[in-house]
């Protein structure tokens, strides 16, 4: 397994079992990109499902023809070519604060209800407006 840690994203290549990622040092990314090797297996399904559900950042499977069972563990599937460019474009021209708010909305969408997602988006919107206008941010 090869792990490349960048400021905004962590990229993993050559992983055979998703369960191997559980013990890996991933840094503190906003986005985790796992490249599909075409024969990836889950490993301990319960642990993998729990691990991916609890991650505090966006998860992406980089694949041109993803296996549906593997793709189900990820928030999004992105094209395998230029996956690093996807991360850069997703966060392009965003402040660290904006990136945290975007990430929070994605994470809420992973595990929350429709109302939870709407609440997270609304809260993020008002926090961004407060930041722009000099108002107080709720924590």
């Amino acid at each position: 397994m090869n792990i490349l840690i960048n400021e905004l994203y962590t990229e993993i290549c050559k992983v055979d079992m998703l369960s191997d990622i559980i013990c890996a040092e991933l840094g503190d990314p906003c986005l985790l990109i796992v490249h599909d090797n075409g024969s990836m297996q889950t490993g301990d399904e319960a642990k993998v499902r729990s691990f991916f559900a609890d991650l505090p950042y966006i998860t992406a499977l980089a694949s041109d023809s993803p296996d549906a069972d593997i793709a189900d563990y990820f928030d999004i599937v992105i094209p395998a070519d230029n996956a690093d460019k996807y991360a850069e474009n997703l966060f392009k021209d965003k402040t660290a604060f904006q990136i945290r708010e975007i990430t929070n909305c994605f994470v809420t969408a992973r595990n929350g209800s429709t109302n939870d997602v709407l609440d997270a988006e609304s809260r993020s919107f008002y926090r961004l407006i407060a930041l722009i206008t000099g108002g107080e941010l709720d924590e």
Side-chain angles (χ1 to χ4, degrees):
M1 176 168 51
N2 294 343
I3 301 174
L4 174 65
I5 298 175
N6 290 295
E7 182 179 349
L8 295 175
Y9 63 93
T10 296
E11 204 167 359
I12 301 176
C13 302
K14 299 180 183 177
V15 61
D16 294 321
M17 302 285 274
L18 287 179
S19 58
D20 292 344
I21 297 172
I22 294 171
C23 297
E25 176 55 47
L26 303 175
D28 190 23
C30 298
L31 174 65
L32 173 67
I33 301 171
V34 177
H35 287 268
D36 188 359
N37 69 5
S39 61
M40 194 180 303
Q41 300 294 312
T42 305
D44 186 327
E45 186 175 334
K47 285 184 181 178
V48 170
R49 181 133 342 258
S50 175
F51 173 76
F52 275 88
D54 292 339
L55 288 174
Y57 39 79
I58 304 164
T59 61
L61 177 64
S63 178
D64 292 324
S65 56
D67 176 278
D69 292 333
I70 296 296
D72 190 47
Y73 291 96
F74 295 86
D75 297 319
I76 55 177
V77 175
I78 60 176
D81 290 340
N82 299 318
D84 56 335
K85 298 294 184 221
Y86 180 87
E88 291 170 12
N89 287 334
L90 180 64
F91 300 123
K92 182 179 179 179
D93 300 326
K94 309 279 188 306
T95 67
F97 182 81
Q98 291 168 322
I99 291 169
R100 280 194 312 273
E101 293 300 319
I102 291 167
T103 301
N104 180 56
C105 288
F106 268 95
V107 170
T108 301
R110 176 189 310 140
N111 297 317
S113 67
T114 302
N115 285 338
D116 293 337
V117 175
L118 293 172
D119 288 344
E121 289 175 345
S122 178
R123 190 171 41 259
S124 291
F125 173 77
Y126 285 107
R127 288 172 48 86
L128 290 168
I129 294 300
L131 184 67
I132 291 168
T133 62
E136 289 193 28
L137 299 176
D138 66 333
E139 292 300 324

